[in-house]
Amino acid sequence: ISKYNIEFSDVIILKDVLHYLPSDTQNNLIKNCISKLNEKGIIIIRDGDREQIKEHKKTKITEFFSTNFGFNKVEHKLEFISKSEIKEIAKNSSMNFVEMGQAKQTSNKLFVLRK
């Protein structure tokens, strides 16, 4: 996903993929997506928020099973982004940031960045 040539888009969805990338690659990917948004475009991000300590333990357990029993393949150590990091990227890119919701049992959250 980090090497994909993103075309200009109205909406870009990053669903449950960021934690499979190293932290610097996550940040670069989000910034690249922002640069490829059309006017009034949005980015929807769903991923685990490592700042949610209690819920994040459950997220890490689910990822352990999905990556160790053949469901998902990993090339790097899992690195979860935080709400604060996404919010900071949005702020530095003049994007509006909205947190839309959180899963009941895990740290998975939905964030929307809007031009």
Side-chain angles (χ1 to χ4, degrees):
I1 190 170
S2 62
K3 296 175 182 152
Y4 182 75
N5 183 26
I6 301 168
E7 296 183 20
F8 280 92
S9 305
D10 293 325
V11 178
I12 298 173
I13 300 171
L14 300 172
K15 183 177 183 282
D16 297 327
V17 296
L18 290 178
H19 59 275
Y20 291 103
L21 304 170
S23 181
D24 59 329
T25 305
Q26 294 173 21
N27 293 336
N28 290 336
L29 176 60
I30 295 170
K31 291 173 186 174
N32 187 30
C33 289
I34 290 170
S35 74
K36 296 296 186 168
L37 284 178
N38 293 328
E39 190 172 333
K40 297 185 180 182
I42 64 171
I43 299 173
I44 299 170
I45 299 173
R46 182 189 186 268
D47 218 294
D49 175 4
R50 73 168 185 262
E51 293 174 332
Q52 299 297 307
I53 305 300
K54 180 181 175 188
E55 295 85 356
H56 195 59
K57 288 178 183 177
K58 295 173 188 170
T59 300
K60 289 167 74 173
I61 290 169
T62 63
E63 285 300 321
F64 171 82
F65 285 108
S66 71
T67 58
N68 284 287
F69 294 99
F71 183 70
N72 291 330
K73 306 289 185 249
V74 293
E75 294 179 14
H76 310 279
K77 174 180 76 101
L78 298 181
E79 294 185 43
F80 289 88
I81 198 163
S82 69
K83 171 185 171 178
S84 298
E85 289 173 299
I86 296 171
K87 194 173 187 177
E88 186 68 19
I89 293 169
K91 177 183 172 189
N92 292 337
S93 302
S94 300
M95 300 282 289
N96 292 320
F97 170 88
V98 177
E99 180 181 343
M100 298 296 291
Q102 178 174 337
K104 291 181 182 180
Q105 299 294 321
T106 66
S107 66
N108 292 322
K109 290 187 175 182
L110 189 66
F111 306 105
V112 177
L113 285 63
R114 185 181 307 269
K115 260 192 167 178

